[in-house]
Every structure is written in C-alpha cells, then in structure tokens.
Amino acid sequence: MPIGNAQPSVRPVPSGRTDGAAAEAGGRRRGAGSRHLRGGSRAERLAPYVLVAPAILIIVVLRLYPLLLGVNFSFTGDGERNGTTVGIDNYLELLDDSLFRTALGNVGLLVLLLPVAVAIPGLLATFIYLRVPGHRFYRSVYFFPAVLSPVIVGAIFNLLLAFDGPVNAVLGAVGISPVDWLGNPDVAMFVVVGVHIWATFGMALVVFLAGFATLDAALLDAARVDGASLVQVIRHVIIPGLSRTIAFVAVTTMVGMLTSMFGLLYVMTSGGPEGSTYLPEYYIWIQQGQMNRPALASAASTVLFVIMLVVGLLQVKLLRRAGGED
Amino acid sequence: MSRVRLSRWLLAIPMSLLALATIYPLLFTVNVAMKTRRDYILDRFALTDTLRWDNISTAWNSVGMDRYFVNSLIVVTSSVVLLLLLGSMAGFALSQLRFRGSSALFLGCLAGLFVPFQVIMVPLARIMADTALIDTYPGLVLVFVAQFLPFTVFLMTSYYKTIPREVIDAARIDGNSVYGVYRRIMLPLGTPALLSVGILNALFCWNDVLMSLVMMPSAEHRTLMVGVTSLRGQYSNDIPTFASGVLIAAIPVLVVYLFLQRQIADGVAAGSTKG
C-alpha cells in the first residue's frame, strides 16, 4: 500500500453522504467549529499538517539542517581562522593526521570482520529455528547483553580483561602467559570489536529469527525429507530464502559498528594504546570536545557521513538484488 | 531421524557454552560488588559468602550516582513521552489521512534515519549553545527526541497502517474530529506498538553516552551512563565499589529486560521486517 496519495481531501475515504452525517453529528456535539466538514473545514483540512508538523520540524531543524551546517562548516577554519573559508584545508589535514588514518584503517578492519559479525547470529538463529533443545532459553540469554549500555559492557570487560584480571588468571592456570588485552596496540582493536560483537549479536539474532518466520517451512521439510544435511539446508534453503534479512543485518551491523562503539572506546581504551583503537566517531569527539577543533571535526564528520552513505547505497543495491532473487 | 536428533543435542554444547559466556560477565560483576576489597584481592572468583550491600550504598551515596540516576530518569522519561506523542501523531496522519505532500513528509522523516549523531555533533552542539539549551534538561531531551523520532515515526506509521480504515470511518461518522479520532481511537489502538517503541526508546536514551557527554558537560547534570565512565578513574583501586556503580546503572535495564523481553524483541523485529 502506498504511504500517501496526492488527494486534496484529508478525509479518510468517506463518501459524500456519510460525510454529511458526520458533519451534522460533529456540529451538534461541538458547535460551530466542525460544521463545514463536507468541503472539509479549514481546521480539519489542516489537521494532518498539524499532526505531522512537530515531528517534521524537530527532524529538519535538529537533524537535516545541522548536516548542511556541518558540511559548510568543514570548509572554514579553526582558532584564528575561525569563520574564514579555507577550502579543503581541513580535509588535507585529516589525510595528514596519522590518528585519522588509523581511524579509517580501523573502519577497513570492521568491514573485514563484518562477515563474522553477521555469520555468528545467523548460525545461532538457524540452530534456534531448528529447535535445538532449550532454544527458548538461548534466545533470551543471547539477547540480554544487547540491552546493556556500551558503557556498562565496557566497564565489565575492563574488570575481566585487566592485566591482573580474571581472564588472564584463567589463562595462567592453563599455562598461557598473560595478554595485555587493552594495552597492546596489535590486540586492542580486535578485543574491542570482539566485545562489541558479544554485546550486540543478540540484536541481529532477533532480526534473523523474525526473518525465519517468513521462510517457507514447506521447503525446509522437503529438504529434510530428501535427507539434506544441516550444511546443505543452510546453503540451499536458508541463505537464498533469507537473502533480504542477511543484507539488512549486514548493513545495520555495519552502521552499528560505525556509530555505536563510542561508549566502548571511551571506557575501555580512550582510543589508545598509541591511538590504535581510534574510529571516526571517537576522532570527531576528541577534535570537537578536547582539542577545540570544531571545523576539523566537521570535516571528519563529513567523511563519516560519506562512508555511511556508501553503506546505505550498498544496502539499497543488495536489497534490490536480493528482492530480485525471491 | 535419530541422526538429526543427535546432531541437535551436539549443537546444544557450543550453544550452552556461549550462553555461559553471555551471562558470566554479569554474574562476575554482581559477585564482585558483594565482596570486600580484601576478599577481591585474595580471590576474584570465589562466591561471596554474604550479601554485602555496603559497596552499593557507597557508590549510591558518596559517588553521586543518586543524582546521576535522577538526572537520567528525568531526561529519559520526558524524552520517551515526547517521542511517543509526536511519533504517534505523525504516524497516524502519515498512515491514515490523505493530504498533499504526505509522502514527501514521510520521506523527510525517514531521511533523519541516515544522519547519525556523530555526523552532526559539532553543528548541533553549536545550535544548542546558541539557544542556551546546552547543559539543560530540555536541551538533551530535544537531542534525544531528534535522534530517535525518525525511527519512532517509521514504526508507528507502519503499525497504524494495519488498522482498517473502517474503524476510522466509523469514528468519523460518530462525529469525531481528526483530533478526536487520534485521541479516542488511534492512541488506545496503538498501545501495543507504543509500548514496544516506548521501551526501546527508553533503553536507547538510558544507555546513551555520547549525546549526554556532549550536551551535558557539567557534573551537576551528568546522566547515569556518563557517571559510570567517571567511576573508572576514581575507583581504579576499589574494584568492588566500581562494580557496584556499574551494577546500579545496569539494574533498571535488567529489571526491564526480565519483565518486558517480549516487547523489546518485538520492537527490534518490527524495525527490521517493516523495512
């Protein structure tokens, strides 16, 4: 069903006659205000706009307009050059900044880890869908970290992963030397992404299960009657049948990794060690809040927005292709 | 058939291990929060022998968690009420009423979905500073509402689309104005969706850290999650108190999850399938 259609009337499909009746009834009850319903009184005709206006106003003023403002801002200077146009200087400075380059590199790492982040909840959802014993229990346990704030998750893992903390104590008990989980630049980013996946796979799991609900059960039964193995069922029935869901989860997971890891980074590593766990969102925050470089931060924001746009367009493309396969 | 059954039981092993890995970090934190510092240093893993609430009350009283808690409560409650009100109003109009420009307005709302806070952080902070809304409750509420409104409008619109037009027609024949239909029909009928979306929004707002950090710089207005981040520096030597602070921030969410799991999962699922 189309969302709206361009008819001048605000009335929800009434015919002329019932409309008149409504007008009369309305007139009786509330007096002059709604008497002219037949032609649609002024108040009634404006009603939909009045209902939508606050939402639209807030979204335009506090979401869409700032976007333009920010892009504009990214071409001006900071500090002494505040307000003057500096062309693409900020972008050149970004390219020159090793911290920002690390942040972009880490985005690349996230893209590489994306298949893992999608496959884990996908597989688990498959098992739950195939009614592994205790599937209801797993479902609610797996989902539970997804409701915790990244700050809380980060704080808990700070305890667990401290150098003299319990994880290393367990490793030590089996003879493995302790790992500096959050202090080793080669390891820290993987640890943070791992914790992020731990905290969010429940979300994707629920989305997958909603997708499974739309899957044709007859196909699965047929495959089972034919003696297909689990791997075959996954490859030939589940993946093609769920291509839309998989594409959706891939994109939302990617967006999640780009925009909701700030809390973890802030609590667990503060971007360190040696700036190895910077992501664009953390860089933006540092430049705007700590370094007092709002224009430079705006340039980084614009870069992040372009990355998100690419992800979004990819989504449209993937969904369309998946839709074509159905 | 028996082979299938066996393999299902085999799958249960990694799945239980994962369940343990999911739940253990929290249990560990609860256990630590109950210990004395000495107990923790001597043995991190041993189950606490008594339930000690000293750490919790220390974290609550002397760290300022009580004030942060109230701040969060004020901001989250106002944000959710506003979100549900504005979201359902817009959702009703966009799904059930015919008017010029409705699809453009719907797309305008959706466009907001593609602008994450990180991207507009700098100009938004400036707007808030220019309007003297920075570091005030209404300021953060507005930022929250702007952040989660597109999603709320989207979900309410798709929910209201499932309500048959006849229901609204009947209400109109009974003499209700458009606003009357909204108040007497759409709000009550929308309850399940409002509940789901409301809980999700409450979680998002309660759990947020970046927006609160940028929009509420002063300690006096700090929200609970920002408060948790400040614990880290203060209590790096007193792990049980630190764990208690974390627990205080987590408990409301855990309670909500225990009772309203279904609605939360439904909300997430609705957000995905309606797309």
Side-chain angles (χ1 to χ4, degrees), chain A residues 3 9-10 12-13 22 29-30 37 44 49 63 66 73 138 140 142 145 147 149 164 166 198 259 267 281 301, chain B residues 15-16 21-22 44-45 94 98 100 112 115 118 121 123 126 146-147 165 169 172 174-175 207 232 239 253 257 261:
Chain A
I3 288 132
S9 161
V10 303
V13 236
R29 278 192 203 171
R30 286 182 317 280
L37 230 118
E44 291 284 284
Y49 299 102
R63 277 316 274 274
F73 205 42
Y138 293 128
S140 50
Y142 291 162
V147 300
S149 169
D164 56 354
W198 175 87
T259 59
V267 172
E281 57 172 332
S301 290
Chain B
M15 291 192 74
S16 325
T22 309
R44 309 190 148 90
F45 301 102
L94 293 169
R98 296 174 176 176
R100 230 173 239 152
V115 187
Q118 285 84 347
M121 185 159 77
R126 180 151 295 194
Q147 175 74 16
R165 292 242 159 142
D169 289 349
R172 299 279 290 175
D174 285 348
N207 287 341
R232 183 184 167 214
I239 300 297
V253 175
Y257 183 66
Q261 219 189 101

CSV table of all heavy atoms in Angstrom, one decimal, chain A residues 3 9-10 12-13 22 29-30 37 44 49 63 66 73 138 140 142 145 147 149 164 166 198 259 267 281 301, chain B residues 15-16 21-22 44-45 94 98 100 112 115 118 121 123 126 146-147 165 169 172 174-175 207 232 239 253 257 261:
chain,number,residue,atom,x,y,z
A,3,ILE,N,2.2,4.9,0.8
A,3,ILE,CA,2.1,5.6,2.1
A,3,ILE,C,1.1,6.7,2.1
A,3,ILE,O,0.4,6.9,3.0
A,3,ILE,CB,3.5,6.1,2.4
A,3,ILE,CG1,4.4,4.9,2.8
A,3,ILE,CG2,3.5,7.1,3.6
A,3,ILE,CD1,5.7,4.9,2.2
A,9,SER,N,-8.2,15.9,-0.3
A,9,SER,CA,-9.0,15.8,0.9
A,9,SER,C,-8.2,15.2,2.0
A,9,SER,O,-7.3,14.4,1.9
A,9,SER,CB,-10.2,14.9,0.6
A,9,SER,OG,-10.7,14.4,1.8
A,10,VAL,N,-8.6,15.6,3.2
A,10,VAL,CA,-7.9,15.0,4.4
A,10,VAL,C,-8.8,13.8,5.0
A,10,VAL,O,-8.4,13.2,5.9
A,10,VAL,CB,-7.7,16.0,5.5
A,10,VAL,CG1,-6.9,17.1,5.0
A,10,VAL,CG2,-9.1,16.4,6.1
A,12,PRO,N,-10.5,10.4,5.7
A,12,PRO,CA,-10.2,9.0,5.4
A,12,PRO,C,-11.3,8.3,4.7
A,12,PRO,O,-12.2,7.7,5.3
A,12,PRO,CB,-10.0,8.4,6.8
A,12,PRO,CG,-10.6,9.5,7.8
A,12,PRO,CD,-10.9,10.7,7.0
A,13,VAL,N,-11.3,8.4,3.4
A,13,VAL,CA,-12.2,7.8,2.5
A,13,VAL,C,-13.7,7.9,2.6
A,13,VAL,O,-14.4,6.9,2.3
A,13,VAL,CB,-12.0,6.2,2.4
A,13,VAL,CG1,-11.7,5.9,0.9
A,13,VAL,CG2,-10.9,5.7,3.3
A,22,ALA,N,-21.6,12.9,9.3
A,22,ALA,CA,-20.5,13.1,10.3
A,22,ALA,C,-20.5,14.6,10.6
A,22,ALA,O,-20.3,15.0,11.8
A,22,ALA,CB,-19.2,12.7,9.7
A,29,ARG,N,-22.4,18.1,18.3
A,29,ARG,CA,-21.7,17.9,19.6
A,29,ARG,C,-20.8,19.0,19.9
A,29,ARG,O,-20.6,19.4,21.1
A,29,ARG,CB,-20.8,16.6,19.4
A,29,ARG,CG,-21.7,15.4,19.7
A,29,ARG,CD,-20.8,14.2,19.9
A,29,ARG,NE,-21.6,13.1,19.6
A,29,ARG,CZ,-21.2,11.9,19.5
A,29,ARG,NH1,-19.9,11.7,19.6
A,29,ARG,NH2,-22.0,10.9,19.2
A,30,ARG,N,-20.1,19.6,19.0
A,30,ARG,CA,-19.1,20.5,19.4
A,30,ARG,C,-19.3,22.0,18.8
A,30,ARG,O,-18.5,22.8,18.9
A,30,ARG,CB,-17.7,20.1,18.9
A,30,ARG,CG,-17.2,18.9,19.7
A,30,ARG,CD,-15.9,18.5,19.2
A,30,ARG,NE,-15.8,18.4,17.8
A,30,ARG,CZ,-16.3,17.4,17.1
A,30,ARG,NH1,-16.8,16.4,17.6
A,30,ARG,NH2,-16.2,17.5,15.8
A,37,LEU,N,-17.8,20.3,7.5
A,37,LEU,CA,-17.0,19.1,7.1
A,37,LEU,C,-17.1,18.6,5.7
A,37,LEU,O,-16.2,18.1,5.1
A,37,LEU,CB,-17.2,17.9,8.1
A,37,LEU,CG,-15.9,17.4,8.6
A,37,LEU,CD1,-15.9,17.6,10.1
A,37,LEU,CD2,-15.8,16.0,8.3
A,44,GLU,N,-10.1,21.1,9.9
A,44,GLU,CA,-10.0,19.7,9.5
A,44,GLU,C,-9.0,19.4,8.4
A,44,GLU,O,-8.3,18.4,8.4
A,44,GLU,CB,-11.4,19.1,9.1
A,44,GLU,CG,-12.3,19.0,10.3
A,44,GLU,CD,-12.0,17.8,11.2
A,44,GLU,OE1,-12.3,16.7,10.8
A,44,GLU,OE2,-11.5,18.1,12.3
A,49,TYR,N,-1.5,18.3,8.8
A,49,TYR,CA,-0.3,19.0,8.8
A,49,TYR,C,0.1,19.4,10.3
A,49,TYR,O,1.2,19.3,10.7
A,49,TYR,CB,-0.4,20.3,8.0
A,49,TYR,CG,-0.6,20.0,6.6
A,49,TYR,CD1,-1.9,20.1,6.0
A,49,TYR,CD2,0.4,19.6,5.7
A,49,TYR,CE1,-2.1,19.8,4.7
A,49,TYR,CE2,0.2,19.3,4.4
A,49,TYR,CZ,-1.1,19.4,3.9
A,49,TYR,OH,-1.3,19.1,2.6
A,63,ARG,N,18.2,17.7,12.8
A,63,ARG,CA,18.9,16.6,12.1
A,63,ARG,C,19.4,16.9,10.7
A,63,ARG,O,20.6,16.8,10.4
A,63,ARG,CB,18.0,15.4,11.9
A,63,ARG,CG,17.7,14.4,12.9
A,63,ARG,CD,18.6,13.7,13.8
A,63,ARG,NE,19.3,12.5,13.5
A,63,ARG,CZ,18.9,11.3,13.6
A,63,ARG,NH1,17.7,11.0,13.9
A,63,ARG,NH2,19.7,10.3,13.3
A,66,PRO,N,21.4,20.7,10.6
A,66,PRO,CA,22.8,20.6,11.1
A,66,PRO,C,23.7,19.9,10.1
A,66,PRO,O,24.9,20.2,10.1
A,66,PRO,CB,22.7,19.8,12.4
A,66,PRO,CG,21.3,20.0,12.8
A,66,PRO,CD,20.5,20.1,11.5
A,73,PHE,N,30.5,24.1,7.4
A,73,PHE,CA,31.5,24.4,8.5
A,73,PHE,C,32.8,23.7,8.2
A,73,PHE,O,33.9,24.3,8.6
A,73,PHE,CB,30.9,23.8,9.8
A,73,PHE,CG,31.4,24.5,11.0
A,73,PHE,CD1,31.5,25.9,11.0
A,73,PHE,CD2,31.7,23.8,12.2
A,73,PHE,CE1,31.9,26.5,12.2
A,73,PHE,CE2,32.1,24.4,13.3
A,73,PHE,CZ,32.3,25.8,13.3
A,138,TYR,N,18.0,-20.1,25.2
A,138,TYR,CA,19.1,-19.5,24.5
A,138,TYR,C,18.7,-18.1,23.9
A,138,TYR,O,19.5,-17.2,24.0
A,138,TYR,CB,19.6,-20.4,23.3
A,138,TYR,CG,20.2,-21.7,23.8
A,138,TYR,CD1,19.8,-22.9,23.2
A,138,TYR,CD2,21.2,-21.7,24.7
A,138,TYR,CE1,20.3,-24.1,23.7
A,138,TYR,CE2,21.8,-22.9,25.2
A,138,TYR,CZ,21.3,-24.1,24.6
A,138,TYR,OH,21.9,-25.2,25.0
A,140,SER,N,16.6,-16.0,24.9
A,140,SER,CA,16.5,-14.8,25.9
A,140,SER,C,17.9,-14.5,26.5
A,140,SER,O,18.2,-13.4,26.8
A,140,SER,CB,15.4,-15.0,26.9
A,140,SER,OG,15.5,-16.3,27.5
A,142,TYR,N,20.9,-14.9,25.0
A,142,TYR,CA,21.7,-14.3,24.0
A,142,TYR,C,21.3,-12.8,23.8
A,142,TYR,O,22.2,-12.0,23.5
A,142,TYR,CB,21.6,-15.0,22.6
A,142,TYR,CG,22.2,-16.4,22.6
A,142,TYR,CD1,21.9,-17.3,21.6
A,142,TYR,CD2,23.1,-16.7,23.6
A,142,TYR,CE1,22.5,-18.5,21.6
A,142,TYR,CE2,23.7,-18.0,23.6
A,142,TYR,CZ,23.4,-18.9,22.6
A,142,TYR,OH,23.9,-20.1,22.5
A,145,PRO,N,22.7,-9.2,26.6
A,145,PRO,CA,23.7,-8.1,26.6
A,145,PRO,C,23.3,-6.9,25.7
A,145,PRO,O,23.8,-5.8,25.8
A,145,PRO,CB,24.9,-8.8,26.1
A,145,PRO,CG,24.7,-10.2,26.1
A,145,PRO,CD,23.2,-10.4,26.0
A,147,VAL,N,20.8,-5.2,25.6
A,147,VAL,CA,20.0,-4.1,26.2
A,147,VAL,C,21.0,-3.3,27.2
A,147,VAL,O,20.6,-2.3,27.7
A,147,VAL,CB,18.8,-4.6,27.0
A,147,VAL,CG1,17.8,-5.3,26.1
A,147,VAL,CG2,19.2,-5.5,28.2
A,149,SER,N,24.0,-0.9,28.2
A,149,SER,CA,24.8,0.2,27.6
A,149,SER,C,26.2,-0.2,27.3
A,149,SER,O,26.8,-0.9,28.1
A,149,SER,CB,24.8,1.4,28.5
A,149,SER,OG,25.7,2.4,28.1
A,164,ASP,N,45.9,-7.9,35.5
A,164,ASP,CA,45.9,-8.8,36.6
A,164,ASP,C,44.5,-9.4,36.9
A,164,ASP,O,44.1,-9.7,38.0
A,164,ASP,CB,46.4,-8.2,37.9
A,164,ASP,CG,45.7,-6.9,38.2
A,164,ASP,OD1,44.8,-6.5,37.4
A,164,ASP,OD2,45.9,-6.3,39.3
A,166,PRO,N,40.7,-11.5,35.9
A,166,PRO,CA,40.3,-12.9,35.8
A,166,PRO,C,40.6,-13.7,34.5
A,166,PRO,O,41.0,-14.8,34.6
A,166,PRO,CB,38.8,-12.9,36.1
A,166,PRO,CG,38.4,-11.5,36.1
A,166,PRO,CD,39.6,-10.6,36.2
A,198,TRP,N,30.1,-9.3,21.0
A,198,TRP,CA,29.5,-10.0,22.2
A,198,TRP,C,28.2,-9.3,22.6
A,198,TRP,O,27.2,-9.9,22.9
A,198,TRP,CB,30.5,-10.1,23.3
A,198,TRP,CG,30.0,-10.7,24.6
A,198,TRP,CD1,29.9,-12.0,24.9
A,198,TRP,CD2,29.4,-10.0,25.7
A,198,TRP,NE1,29.4,-12.2,26.2
A,198,TRP,CE2,29.0,-10.9,26.7
A,198,TRP,CE3,29.1,-8.6,26.0
A,198,TRP,CZ2,28.4,-10.6,27.9
A,198,TRP,CZ3,28.5,-8.3,27.2
A,198,TRP,CH2,28.2,-9.3,28.1
A,259,THR,N,28.8,3.6,14.4
A,259,THR,CA,28.1,4.6,15.2
A,259,THR,C,27.8,4.3,16.6
A,259,THR,O,27.3,5.1,17.4
A,259,THR,CB,26.8,5.1,14.5
A,259,THR,OG1,25.9,4.0,14.4
A,259,THR,CG2,27.1,5.7,13.2
A,267,VAL,N,35.3,4.0,27.3
A,267,VAL,CA,35.5,3.4,28.6
A,267,VAL,C,36.8,2.4,28.6
A,267,VAL,O,37.5,2.3,29.6
A,267,VAL,CB,34.3,2.6,29.1
A,267,VAL,CG1,34.5,1.7,30.3
A,267,VAL,CG2,33.1,3.5,29.3
A,281,GLU,N,34.2,8.2,14.8
A,281,GLU,CA,33.3,8.8,15.8
A,281,GLU,C,34.1,9.3,17.0
A,281,GLU,O,33.9,10.4,17.6
A,281,GLU,CB,32.2,7.9,16.2
A,281,GLU,CG,32.6,6.6,16.8
A,281,GLU,CD,31.4,5.9,17.4
A,281,GLU,OE1,30.4,6.5,17.8
A,281,GLU,OE2,31.4,4.6,17.4
A,301,SER,N,33.4,14.5,10.3
A,301,SER,CA,32.0,14.1,10.3
A,301,SER,C,31.5,13.9,8.9
A,301,SER,O,30.8,12.9,8.6
A,301,SER,CB,31.2,15.2,10.9
A,301,SER,OG,31.3,15.2,12.3
B,15,MET,N,26.2,-24.1,22.1
B,15,MET,CA,25.3,-23.1,22.4
B,15,MET,C,25.2,-22.8,23.9
B,15,MET,O,25.0,-21.6,24.3
B,15,MET,CB,23.9,-23.4,21.9
B,15,MET,CG,23.9,-23.4,20.3
B,15,MET,SD,22.4,-23.5,19.6
B,15,MET,CE,21.7,-21.9,19.9
B,16,SER,N,25.3,-23.8,24.7
B,16,SER,CA,25.3,-23.6,26.2
B,16,SER,C,26.6,-22.9,26.6
B,16,SER,O,26.5,-22.0,27.5
B,16,SER,CB,25.2,-24.9,27.0
B,16,SER,OG,24.5,-25.8,26.3
B,21,ALA,N,29.1,-17.8,28.4
B,21,ALA,CA,29.9,-16.6,28.1
B,21,ALA,C,29.1,-15.3,28.1
B,21,ALA,O,29.6,-14.2,28.3
B,21,ALA,CB,30.6,-16.8,26.7
B,22,THR,N,27.8,-15.4,27.7
B,22,THR,CA,27.0,-14.3,27.7
B,22,THR,C,26.6,-13.8,29.1
B,22,THR,O,26.6,-12.6,29.4
B,22,THR,CB,25.7,-14.6,26.9
B,22,THR,OG1,26.1,-15.2,25.7
B,22,THR,CG2,24.9,-13.3,26.7
B,44,ARG,N,39.4,-13.6,43.3
B,44,ARG,CA,38.4,-12.9,42.5
B,44,ARG,C,37.2,-13.8,42.2
B,44,ARG,O,36.1,-13.3,42.0
B,44,ARG,CB,39.0,-12.6,41.1
B,44,ARG,CG,40.3,-11.9,41.3
B,44,ARG,CD,40.8,-11.3,40.0
B,44,ARG,NE,41.5,-10.1,40.3
B,44,ARG,CZ,42.8,-10.1,40.6
B,44,ARG,NH1,43.5,-11.2,40.4
B,44,ARG,NH2,43.4,-9.0,40.9
B,45,PHE,N,37.4,-15.1,42.2
B,45,PHE,CA,36.3,-15.9,41.6
B,45,PHE,C,35.4,-16.5,42.7
B,45,PHE,O,34.3,-16.8,42.4
B,45,PHE,CB,36.9,-17.1,40.8
B,45,PHE,CG,37.8,-16.6,39.7
B,45,PHE,CD1,39.2,-16.6,39.8
B,45,PHE,CD2,37.2,-16.1,38.5
B,45,PHE,CE1,39.9,-16.1,38.7
B,45,PHE,CE2,37.9,-15.7,37.5
B,45,PHE,CZ,39.3,-15.7,37.6
B,94,LEU,N,0.3,10.2,8.7
B,94,LEU,CA,1.0,9.6,7.5
B,94,LEU,C,0.5,8.3,7.1
B,94,LEU,O,0.6,7.9,5.9
B,94,LEU,CB,2.5,9.5,7.8
B,94,LEU,CG,3.3,10.8,8.1
B,94,LEU,CD1,4.7,10.6,8.6
B,94,LEU,CD2,3.3,11.6,6.8
B,98,ARG,N,-5.3,11.4,4.1
B,98,ARG,CA,-4.8,11.7,2.8
B,98,ARG,C,-4.6,13.2,2.7
B,98,ARG,O,-5.5,14.0,3.0
B,98,ARG,CB,-5.8,11.4,1.7
B,98,ARG,CG,-6.0,9.9,1.7
B,98,ARG,CD,-7.2,9.6,0.7
B,98,ARG,NE,-7.3,8.2,0.6
B,98,ARG,CZ,-8.3,7.6,-0.1
B,98,ARG,NH1,-9.2,8.4,-0.7
B,98,ARG,NH2,-8.4,6.3,-0.2
B,100,ARG,N,-2.0,16.5,0.8
B,100,ARG,CA,-1.0,16.8,-0.1
B,100,ARG,C,0.4,16.8,0.5
B,100,ARG,O,0.6,17.4,1.6
B,100,ARG,CB,-1.2,18.2,-0.8
B,100,ARG,CG,-1.1,18.1,-2.3
B,100,ARG,CD,-1.5,19.4,-2.9
B,100,ARG,NE,-2.7,19.1,-3.8
B,100,ARG,CZ,-3.6,20.0,-4.1
B,100,ARG,NH1,-3.5,21.2,-3.6
B,100,ARG,NH2,-4.5,19.6,-4.9
B,112,GLY,N,16.0,11.4,8.3
B,112,GLY,CA,16.6,11.6,9.5
B,112,GLY,C,17.3,10.3,10.0
B,112,GLY,O,18.3,10.4,10.7
B,115,VAL,N,21.1,10.1,9.3
B,115,VAL,CA,22.0,11.1,9.8
B,115,VAL,C,22.3,10.8,11.3
B,115,VAL,O,21.6,11.2,12.1
B,115,VAL,CB,21.4,12.5,9.7
B,115,VAL,CG1,22.5,13.6,10.1
B,115,VAL,CG2,20.9,12.8,8.3
B,118,GLN,N,26.9,11.4,15.4
B,118,GLN,CA,28.3,11.7,15.2
B,118,GLN,C,28.5,12.7,14.1
B,118,GLN,O,29.4,13.5,14.1
B,118,GLN,CB,29.1,10.4,14.9
B,118,GLN,CG,29.3,9.5,16.0
B,118,GLN,CD,28.1,8.6,16.3
B,118,GLN,OE1,27.0,8.8,15.7
B,118,GLN,NE2,28.3,7.6,17.1
B,121,MET,N,27.3,16.2,15.3
B,121,MET,CA,27.6,16.6,16.6
B,121,MET,C,28.1,18.0,16.8
B,121,MET,O,27.6,18.8,17.6
B,121,MET,CB,28.7,15.6,17.1
B,121,MET,CG,29.1,15.8,18.5
B,121,MET,SD,30.0,14.3,19.0
B,121,MET,CE,31.5,14.4,18.3
B,123,PRO,N,27.8,20.9,14.7
B,123,PRO,CA,26.8,21.9,14.5
B,123,PRO,C,25.7,21.9,15.5
B,123,PRO,O,25.2,22.9,16.0
B,123,PRO,CB,26.2,21.7,13.1
B,123,PRO,CG,26.8,20.4,12.7
B,123,PRO,CD,28.0,20.1,13.5
B,126,ARG,N,26.7,23.5,18.6
B,126,ARG,CA,26.7,24.9,18.4
B,126,ARG,C,25.3,25.5,18.5
B,126,ARG,O,25.1,26.5,19.2
B,126,ARG,CB,27.3,25.2,17.1
B,126,ARG,CG,27.4,26.7,16.8
B,126,ARG,CD,28.6,27.0,15.9
B,126,ARG,NE,29.9,26.8,16.6
B,126,ARG,CZ,31.0,27.2,16.1
B,126,ARG,NH1,31.0,27.9,15.0
B,126,ARG,NH2,32.1,26.9,16.7
B,146,ALA,N,15.1,14.2,18.7
B,146,ALA,CA,15.5,14.4,17.3
B,146,ALA,C,16.2,13.1,16.8
B,146,ALA,O,16.1,12.7,15.7
B,146,ALA,CB,16.5,15.6,17.1
B,147,GLN,N,17.0,12.5,17.7
B,147,GLN,CA,17.7,11.3,17.4
B,147,GLN,C,16.8,10.1,17.1
B,147,GLN,O,17.0,9.3,16.1
B,147,GLN,CB,18.7,10.9,18.5
B,147,GLN,CG,19.5,9.6,18.3
B,147,GLN,CD,20.5,9.8,17.3
B,147,GLN,OE1,20.9,10.8,16.9
B,147,GLN,NE2,21.0,8.6,16.8
B,165,ARG,N,-9.4,1.1,7.7
B,165,ARG,CA,-10.0,2.4,7.5
B,165,ARG,C,-11.4,2.4,8.1
B,165,ARG,O,-11.8,3.5,8.6
B,165,ARG,CB,-10.1,2.8,6.1
B,165,ARG,CG,-8.7,3.0,5.4
B,165,ARG,CD,-8.6,4.4,5.0
B,165,ARG,NE,-7.2,4.7,4.8
B,165,ARG,CZ,-6.7,5.5,3.9
B,165,ARG,NH1,-7.5,6.0,3.0
B,165,ARG,NH2,-5.4,5.7,3.8
B,169,ASP,N,-13.4,5.4,9.8
B,169,ASP,CA,-14.7,5.9,9.2
B,169,ASP,C,-15.8,5.9,10.2
B,169,ASP,O,-16.5,6.9,10.4
B,169,ASP,CB,-15.1,5.1,8.0
B,169,ASP,CG,-14.1,5.2,6.9
B,169,ASP,OD1,-13.3,6.2,6.9
B,169,ASP,OD2,-14.2,4.4,5.9
B,172,ARG,N,-15.5,8.7,12.6
B,172,ARG,CA,-15.8,9.9,12.0
B,172,ARG,C,-17.4,10.1,11.9
B,172,ARG,O,-17.9,11.2,12.2
B,172,ARG,CB,-15.3,10.0,10.6
B,172,ARG,CG,-13.8,9.9,10.6
B,172,ARG,CD,-13.1,11.2,10.9
B,172,ARG,NE,-13.3,12.2,9.8
B,172,ARG,CZ,-12.9,13.5,9.9
B,172,ARG,NH1,-12.4,13.9,11.0
B,172,ARG,NH2,-13.1,14.3,8.9
B,174,ASP,N,-19.4,8.9,13.9
B,174,ASP,CA,-19.9,9.2,15.2
B,174,ASP,C,-19.6,10.7,15.6
B,174,ASP,O,-19.9,11.1,16.7
B,174,ASP,CB,-19.2,8.3,16.2
B,174,ASP,CG,-19.8,6.9,16.2
B,174,ASP,OD1,-20.8,6.7,15.6
B,174,ASP,OD2,-19.2,6.0,16.8
B,175,GLY,N,-19.0,11.4,14.7
B,175,GLY,CA,-18.9,12.8,15.0
B,175,GLY,C,-17.5,13.2,15.5
B,175,GLY,O,-17.4,14.3,16.1
B,207,ASN,N,20.7,4.3,27.8
B,207,ASN,CA,22.1,3.7,27.6
B,207,ASN,C,23.0,4.7,26.9
B,207,ASN,O,24.2,4.4,26.7
B,207,ASN,CB,21.9,2.5,26.7
B,207,ASN,CG,21.4,1.3,27.5
B,207,ASN,OD1,21.4,1.3,28.8
B,207,ASN,ND2,20.9,0.3,26.9
B,232,ARG,N,35.5,5.0,36.7
B,232,ARG,CA,36.7,4.3,36.4
B,232,ARG,C,38.0,4.9,37.0
B,232,ARG,O,38.8,4.2,37.6
B,232,ARG,CB,36.8,4.2,34.9
B,232,ARG,CG,38.0,3.4,34.4
B,232,ARG,CD,38.0,3.5,32.9
B,232,ARG,NE,39.2,3.0,32.3
B,232,ARG,CZ,39.8,3.5,31.2
B,232,ARG,NH1,39.2,4.6,30.6
B,232,ARG,NH2,40.9,3.0,30.7
B,239,ILE,N,37.9,-2.0,43.3
B,239,ILE,CA,37.1,-2.7,42.3
B,239,ILE,C,35.7,-3.0,42.8
B,239,ILE,O,34.7,-2.8,42.0
B,239,ILE,CB,37.8,-4.0,41.8
B,239,ILE,CG1,39.2,-3.6,41.2
B,239,ILE,CG2,37.0,-4.7,40.8
B,239,ILE,CD1,39.1,-2.8,40.0
B,253,VAL,N,17.8,-1.5,33.8
B,253,VAL,CA,17.7,-2.2,32.5
B,253,VAL,C,17.5,-3.7,32.6
B,253,VAL,O,16.6,-4.2,31.9
B,253,VAL,CB,19.0,-1.9,31.7
B,253,VAL,CG1,19.0,-2.7,30.4
B,253,VAL,CG2,19.2,-0.5,31.4
B,257,TYR,N,14.3,-5.7,31.3
B,257,TYR,CA,14.5,-6.8,30.4
B,257,TYR,C,13.8,-8.1,30.9
B,257,TYR,O,13.2,-8.8,30.1
B,257,TYR,CB,16.0,-7.1,30.2
B,257,TYR,CG,16.3,-8.3,29.2
B,257,TYR,CD1,16.0,-8.1,27.9
B,257,TYR,CD2,16.8,-9.5,29.6
B,257,TYR,CE1,16.2,-9.1,27.0
B,257,TYR,CE2,17.0,-10.5,28.7
B,257,TYR,CZ,16.7,-10.3,27.4
B,257,TYR,OH,16.9,-11.3,26.5
B,261,GLN,N,11.0,-8.4,28.1
B,261,GLN,CA,11.8,-9.1,27.0
B,261,GLN,C,11.0,-9.2,25.7
B,261,GLN,O,11.5,-8.8,24.6
B,261,GLN,CB,12.1,-10.5,27.5
B,261,GLN,CG,13.4,-10.9,27.2
B,261,GLN,CD,13.5,-12.4,27.5
B,261,GLN,OE1,13.4,-13.2,26.6
B,261,GLN,NE2,13.6,-12.7,28.8
